[in-house]
Amino acid sequence: ERLGGARTVLLDKTGTLTENRMTVARLSAGGRVRDPGEGEPGRSAAILMEAAALASAVLPTDPMDRAIRTLRPAVEGQATLSRSWPLEAGRMAVVQQWTMADGGVVAAVKGAPEAVFSLCRLSPSGIAAARENLDVMAAEGLRVLAVASIRGPEAGFAEPDEATFVFHGLIGFLDPVRADVPEALREARQAGIAVAMITGDYPATAMAIAGQAGIDIEGGVLTGAEIAGLDADTLRERVRTIRVFARVKPDQKLALVEALKADGEVVAMTGDGVNDAPALEAAHIGIAMGKRGTDVAREAADIVLLDDSFASIVGGVRLGRRIFANLRKALTFVVAVHVPLAGMALLPILLGAPPLLFPVHVVFLELIIDPVCSLVFEAEPSEANAMKKPPRDPKTSLFGARQIGFGALQGLVILAAVLVFYLWTLEHVEEAQARAAAFLALALANMTLALVDSASSGVSLFDPHRKVFWLISTGAIAVLATAIFLPPVADLFRFDTPPMAVLGTGIAVALLAGGWSAPARWLASRFGRSVSSKPGGVAFAR
């Protein structure tokens, strides 16, 4: 239900927008960019892949490590891993130190290009040359890692920053956008939901992937370093228009969530790592990845996404809107149905007429009301235009004065109609006959009201999902018919069989009193659409 009111969704790129299925698509070595499938690799490309393999896990679980190992098998028997430095905030690269079979020492590093450039102490001209190829691969939407290594005594360092690595080149990984993402993004836009992508990738890569997926890239990209340098007010202003965030660290994800919340947005946030937990906890709806998420992320989140797909999030929004709408319908019906129930128990006595309702009648009506509320309204599908409406205002209550007022109005109409009909029948037929006809009108009006209040989703009244309603109604009508026409049961209800003309009038009163709001709602919606379509009419924009 909360997800149904989301106004902004912050998405991790990998695995949510993309398939998280990495393949090596480009190699940049020796000043040349090549496809790894272009025949035998040259010496520079071979050295690049060997260094990348040494910087990858021996038993890989990371998709990029797996992609590297596919092209360059493991190094068991040739070297022994002696030490490893994982990714950290100050060094976005993995460094591994190996002891070779001949006793030599080799260290290899792979990671963010800027981190590897720093470890290699590249000159400005060397960085500029590498960035040319980096920009080419990033523009293709590839995730790019830089690779370097060092051999000999210098490779036996205590900390990677003490050494000067030899730069070997770049590897571009292709992670395809999920096939269902563009359609899901289109539906999210129709629903008035702003979708932003957060990634640790190079900015050009982030922009390319966002464009392929269908995310709005007109606002440009905001990097983690830029986020860190902005004050709270400036960041809140920037996130109103920017939908792509690159090179973002976990603490900066939290800053983005807080900025959006401060701007009045209802924020949903996806994440999978341990460091994502603060942002998941801070978001209104934290969404953890079920396939690749850590236990910490799942504990911090409100929702665990079993298939890690953005399309499932959009489906959750649709379901949340359906839940909210159906709860409103059910609560409106509860208010409406109890107004005539209470009124018909009291008003005839105050007016000096014979009582209409006895305990058996109240029990019968409640046996209709309870299953209708719990089964019929719950089974109602989403409205046809549910995902073409903007998100509801965060300040909107589930059940406010408008819903109470409308439910009370529906109930008062039924109360007035049934009361007048009961007083009228008392003047023309016996008390037991009048009670039978008026109670029939009250029960049928309640059932008609249930159909009218629930069946506003634009589907057929006889759609299969409404079989529960028709079963309940058929059973109720069968009991009413038995109580009216079978004397032993009629005595229990204090009924007597009224004339058919009176029964027919009661049925007409029930249908009109219970069903008047359906054409009224239809006319109001048509009038509202015609007003909004005129020049100067109110329209929603986001």
Side-chain angles (χ1 to χ4, degrees):
E1 182 275 325
R2 185 66 162 164
L3 185 59
R7 300 170 65 85
T8 300
V9 180
L10 296 177
L11 293 174
D12 263 346
K13 185 209 74 173
T14 304
T16 308
L17 291 176
T18 62
E19 297 179 2
N20 198 26
R21 181 173 51 83
M22 302 283 186
T23 56
V24 176
R26 295 287 187 275
L27 299 175
S28 171
R32 174 172 174 252
V33 178
R34 66 186 300 276
D35 190 311
E38 293 180 3
E40 289 296 322
R43 176 173 173 75
S44 297
I47 292 174
L48 170 67
M49 289 306 301
E50 181 181 0
L54 290 171
S56 301
V58 177
L59 299 175
T61 57
D62 180 82
M64 287 188 288
D65 284 2
R66 289 177 178 173
I68 290 170
R69 290 294 187 197
T70 299
L71 294 180
R72 180 64 169 83
V75 292
E76 288 91 343
Q78 304 175 36
T80 303
L81 181 63
S82 54
R83 190 173 178 186
S84 179
W85 289 264
L87 289 169
E88 59 182 45
R91 185 183 57 247
M92 299 301 292
V94 174
V95 182
Q96 295 196 146
Q97 206 173 59
W98 297 80
T99 302
M100 307 304 288
D102 59 5
V105 179
V106 177
V109 56
K110 75 176 192 317
E114 53 267 33
V116 176
F117 295 162
S118 177
L119 289 173
C120 295
R121 315 289 195 267
L122 285 185
S123 64
S125 60
I127 293 175
R131 283 196 179 279
E132 288 184 9
N133 292 331
L134 171 60
D135 291 338
V136 170
M137 290 191 283
E140 296 177 7
L142 302 181
R143 187 170 187 177
V144 183
L145 295 183
V147 179
S149 70
I150 185 173
R151 293 176 179 270
E154 293 184 3
F157 48 76
E159 290 295 332
D161 294 336
E162 300 173 0
T164 300
F165 286 78
V166 177
F167 181 68
H168 296 309
L170 306 169
I171 301 179
F173 297 87
L174 176 63
D175 186 10
V177 173
R178 286 175 178 261
D180 55 2
V181 162
E183 175 61 25
L185 280 167
R186 185 192 63 79
E187 188 174 7
R189 280 195 299 271
Q190 285 185 338
I193 299 171
V195 180
M197 184 185 81
I198 299 177
T199 179
D201 286 348
Y202 190 65
T205 301
M207 289 290 284
I209 292 293
Q212 293 171 18
I215 291 175
D216 179 15
I217 59 175
E218 290 185 4
V221 60
L222 189 65
T223 66
E226 292 171 330
I227 292 172
L230 298 176
D231 59 58
D233 291 337
T234 306
L235 180 59
R236 188 166 65 247
E237 181 70 27
R238 297 289 302 276
V239 297
R240 291 174 183 169
T241 56
I242 295 175
R243 297 290 175 261
V244 183
F245 303 94
R247 286 289 192 255
V248 176
K249 299 176 182 178
D251 60 319
Q252 292 156 357
K253 292 182 181 180
L254 177 60
L256 289 173
V257 171
E258 296 293 358
L260 287 164
K261 288 172 62 178
D263 205 36
E265 298 293 319
V266 178
V267 183
M269 167 80 193
T270 69
D272 58 2
V274 172
N275 293 333
D276 291 333
L280 292 171
E281 184 69 32
H284 294 104
I285 311 103
I287 306 172
M289 302 296 104
K291 284 186 174 181
R292 58 188 173 85
T294 61
D295 289 341
V296 173
R298 295 176 192 175
E299 288 295 329
D302 304 292
I303 297 172
V304 176
L305 199 61
L306 296 181
D307 60 1
D308 295 3
S309 171
F310 173 63
S312 294
I313 297 176
V314 176
V317 172
R318 189 185 306 109
L319 176 59
R321 293 188 176 189
R322 169 192 167 191
I323 290 170
F324 187 87
N326 287 352
L327 281 171
R328 270 193 167 176
K329 293 175 187 177
L331 290 172
T332 302
F333 173 73
V334 167
V335 170
V337 82
H338 282 92
V339 171
L341 181 61
M344 291 308 297
L346 180 63
L347 289 179
I349 298 174
L350 294 179
L351 295 174
L356 173 64
L357 299 178
F358 290 91
V360 66
H361 304 127
V362 176
V363 170
F364 175 82
L365 289 174
E366 290 295 341
L367 287 174
I368 297 174
I369 294 168
D370 286 346
V372 164
C373 288
S374 61
L375 299 175
V376 174
F377 284 91
E378 182 181 349
E380 193 65 20
S382 297
E383 297 182 358
N385 63 342
M387 293 298 285
K388 296 180 180 179
K389 298 178 180 178
R392 63 179 181 271
D393 191 317
K395 298 178 182 178
T396 301
S397 61
L398 173 64
F399 198 58
R402 182 175 180 181
Q403 289 74 41
I404 294 173
F406 184 66
L409 176 62
Q410 288 181 310
L412 286 171
V413 170
I414 294 175
L415 171 60
V418 174
L419 179 61
V420 170
F421 176 66
Y422 180 50
L423 296 177
W424 176 81
T425 53
L426 284 171
E427 297 177 359
H428 296 84
V429 296
E430 297 179 0
E431 175 187 328
Q433 293 177 327
R435 180 177 295 112
F439 185 76
L440 174 68
L442 178 60
L444 289 180
N446 286 340
M447 285 186 278
T448 304
L449 180 64
L451 182 61
V452 167
D453 279 357
S454 66
S456 57
S457 58
V459 297
S460 170
L461 293 180
F462 299 98
D463 193 79
H465 82 271
R466 292 206 175 101
K467 64 182 179 182
V468 174
F469 170 81
W470 294 114
L471 287 173
I472 293 172
S473 299
T474 300
I477 292 171
V479 173
L480 281 172
T482 303
I484 292 173
F485 295 106
L486 192 64
V489 182
D491 292 341
L492 176 65
F493 280 79
R494 303 191 186 189
F495 287 168
D496 194 5
T497 305
M500 295 304 296
V502 174
L503 282 177
T505 303
I507 293 171
V509 167
L511 294 177
L512 289 173
W516 68 270
S517 58
R521 189 184 293 125
W522 180 80
L523 287 173
S525 66
R526 289 296 297 268
F527 177 75
R529 281 199 297 270
S530 65
V531 169
S532 64
S533 63
K534 293 178 181 179
V538 178
F540 179 85
R542 179 169 173 76

